Amino acid sequence: MKIGILTQPLHANYGGLLQNYALQQVLLRAGHQVETIDWFYPSANTLRERLYRIKRKVLSVFFPDKYPKLRYKITEEERMVIQRNTNHFISSYINHTEKVRSKEGFIAKAKEGNYDVYVVGSDQCWRPRYNSFLSSMFLDFVKDEKAKRIAYAASFGTDQWEFTPMQTEICAPLARQFDFVSVREDSGIKLCKEHLGVDAIHVLDPTLLLTKEDYIRLIEAEKEPKAQGTLFNYILDPDAIKSAFIKKVAKEKGLTTFQVLPRCQEETRTKQDVKNHIEDCVFPGVTSWLRAFMDAEMTIVDSFHGMVFSIIFNKPFWVIGNVNRGMSRFTSLLKVFHLEDRLLEANQLQEVDIDRPIDWQSVNSIVEQKRNECINLLLTELSK
């Protein structure tokens, strides 16, 4: 069968790219044709956008706490430089369409692709704040009634309902047209039932459908050199408290800290950073990020997929809760593997017993069982 995947945009997001790669691999190995219908944020009205940015700039001066400064908007040429390493992974390992930037674009891709099945998921694809084409993630553009509709590990990213009444009114009937709905967080089962009127089941994130050996083969294919440290800290929202904790752990365990991120991180880089030091804004490659988990002796993360790959590579890890990005993503997965004690809040960082062990034999047994269940479930639904 020919399958079209809908997920978040393919860009400089390690977890986002690897979950899409993993899902494609599972489907390709089962003998299907697969491609991701890639999309990017729609082109904005230039005048309207300029006025909005001017307004936000003024508000950020007078009300900095409520209206933080907007990030510098990079040009397409700058984007190609900054994302050249992640773009290499996309072009080498992910089958995808050209980027869609409009509703008409989705309709055209559906017609061109002539897909037998659409698979929607994962990576917070059903979270409004992260999606410019929310209704398209519920397949509003699909006109072929014979096409099968499957949601695999679709994620709201949070246990709170963030849809507006209008978004709910539009998306609920679309959700009820799906042949099968599964969600990445257990809290998504309740959200689907109460707000979309559909029954859903809880499954693993696609990255967990592949083994550690699958990812090591990627690392070897790219001839990725050994990581330059032993305590890998993958922190998307750094602050003084997290930094102090990382230093404390490194000192007590005799480890060398290292990161795999641009020197000028996306969240904090300025226009001057991009214009004068663009090489410091370039994202390291995807396999460089994977190699970090392979070589680390311990990891400290505040990212969902940082947590996932720590588990896949059996690395002692601590995950610092990231409330703004969604807590249910962490709690739901850790519950499956009985690793709830690895989740820390900022006010707990000075109290944690960093020598607390993990029963990897038990964790790996659960991973293997759940992996087989989820793959069989997905392939069975496709064959119906």
Side-chain angles (χ1 to χ4, degrees):
M1 288 188 290
K2 188 172 185 184
I3 300 174
I5 296 175
L6 271 291
T7 186
Q8 293 289 54
L10 302 176
H11 63 112
N13 180 317
Y14 299 122
L17 295 180
L18 286 165
Q19 64 85 18
N20 189 231
Y21 167 78
L23 183 57
Q24 284 202 0
Q25 286 297 303
V26 169
L27 297 173
L28 287 167
R29 293 174 188 182
H32 300 293
Q33 291 178 267
V34 190
E35 69 179 4
T36 296
I37 303 173
D38 192 17
W39 63 274
F40 202 62
Y41 305 100
S43 301
N45 178 293
T46 305
L47 177 60
R48 184 177 180 180
E49 184 181 20
R50 285 178 180 173
L51 290 173
Y52 170 73
R53 295 185 75 86
I54 290 171
K55 177 183 176 182
R56 278 295 302 268
K57 189 174 182 178
V58 173
L59 288 170
S60 69
V61 172
F62 293 100
F63 308 102
D65 293 335
K66 188 174 181 181
Y67 298 98
K69 288 183 180 179
L70 289 172
R71 299 177 195 170
Y72 166 63
K73 185 179 179 182
I74 59 176
T75 66
E76 193 57 35
E77 292 76 16
E78 290 165 344
R79 185 185 308 282
M80 293 302 291
V81 174
I82 289 170
Q83 299 184 6
R84 65 175 181 238
N85 295 322
T86 47
N87 285 343
H88 165 73
F89 182 85
I90 294 167
S91 61
S92 300
Y93 298 105
I94 296 179
N95 300 329
H96 61 94
T97 66
E98 294 180 356
K99 288 191 182 296
V100 171
R101 287 180 176 266
S102 67
K103 180 70 67 177
E104 293 73 24
F106 277 103
I107 295 170
K109 289 303 176 191
K111 189 174 181 180
E112 291 170 18
N114 195 28
Y115 304 107
D116 302 301
V117 183
Y118 292 88
V119 178
V120 179
S122 159
D123 210 31
Q124 303 197 70
C125 62
W126 282 356
R127 193 171 191 184
R129 70 168 67 178
Y130 293 151
N131 207 312
S132 302
F133 295 106
L134 184 63
S135 60
S136 293
M137 293 303 110
F138 287 86
L139 304 177
D140 67 342
F141 62 92
V142 178
K143 307 305 177 185
D144 183 1
E145 294 182 1
K146 296 180 181 178
K148 189 181 290 287
R149 304 171 187 228
I150 290 175
Y152 181 80
S155 172
F156 299 99
T158 174
D159 58 4
Q160 301 299 311
W161 188 247
E162 296 181 341
F163 288 45
T164 65
M166 181 174 291
Q167 288 170 332
T168 304
E169 185 178 345
I170 292 170
C171 294
L174 293 169
R176 291 193 284 271
Q177 293 180 35
F178 276 65
D179 298 278
F180 173 73
V181 175
S182 62
V183 289
R184 193 178 70 180
E185 292 84 34
D186 53 6
S187 58
I189 296 173
K190 183 179 179 182
L191 295 180
C192 282
K193 187 69 174 178
E194 292 184 354
H195 300 281
L196 299 177
V198 298
D199 294 320
I201 66 168
H202 182 212
V203 295
L204 294 179
D205 183 81
T207 50
L208 284 156
L209 302 184
L210 298 187
T211 66
K212 175 178 69 175
E213 289 71 28
D214 289 317
Y215 295 113
I216 290 175
R217 280 191 283 273
L218 273 178
I219 294 168
E220 292 173 343
E222 291 296 316
K223 298 180 171 59
E224 198 63 55
K226 187 174 174 61
Q228 300 299 305
T230 50
L231 175 59
F232 178 38
N233 58 98
Y234 185 61
I235 303 295
L236 299 179
D237 295 310
D239 60 33
I241 295 174
K242 294 176 187 176
S243 296
F245 177 63
I246 292 165
K247 288 179 181 178
K248 174 178 178 287
V249 173
K251 183 177 180 181
E252 292 186 15
K253 301 295 291 184
L255 301 175
T256 305
T257 64
F258 73 105
Q259 291 183 304
V260 179
L261 280 170
R263 281 189 285 273
C264 294
Q265 290 195 32
E266 184 175 8
E267 286 77 11
T268 56
R269 71 189 177 206
T270 64
K271 180 178 181 179
Q272 288 69 33
D273 290 331
V274 176
K275 296 298 182 185
N276 302 327
H277 307 284
I278 195 166
E279 287 299 315
D280 289 340
C281 302
V282 175
F283 281 82
V286 173
T287 50
S288 176
W289 190 75
L290 284 174
R291 181 83 201 223
F293 292 99
M294 177 178 168
D295 293 339
E297 294 181 26
M298 180 177 282
T299 65
I300 299 174
V301 303
D302 66 355
S303 137
F304 173 79
H305 282 108
M307 175 181 67
V308 167
F309 279 93
S310 298
I311 293 171
I312 290 172
F313 281 91
N314 282 194
K315 301 299 176 177
F317 71 95
W318 300 102
V319 56
I320 303 171
N322 197 321
V323 176
N324 291 332
R325 294 176 187 261
M327 285 296 289
S328 66
R329 302 176 304 144
F330 302 115
T331 57
S332 179
L333 186 71
L334 291 172
K335 203 185 307 178
V336 171
F337 302 123
H338 309 300
L339 291 171
E340 296 96 325
D341 64 339
R342 311 309 287 193
L343 178 63
L344 307 175
E345 296 181 12
N347 60 6
Q348 296 177 307
L349 298 185
Q350 299 307 314
E351 304 166 7
V352 63
D353 174 11
I354 60 173
D355 293 316
R356 191 185 305 157
I358 294 174
D359 183 352
W360 287 116
Q361 184 175 353
S362 173
V363 171
N364 292 337
S365 177
I366 298 171
V367 169
E368 184 176 5
Q369 176 192 342
K370 295 292 185 182
R371 176 188 295 130
N372 292 335
E373 288 176 1
C374 290
I375 291 175
N376 289 337
L377 179 65
L378 176 59
L379 299 184
T380 298
E381 289 298 328
L382 287 170
S383 66
K384 287 182 178 179

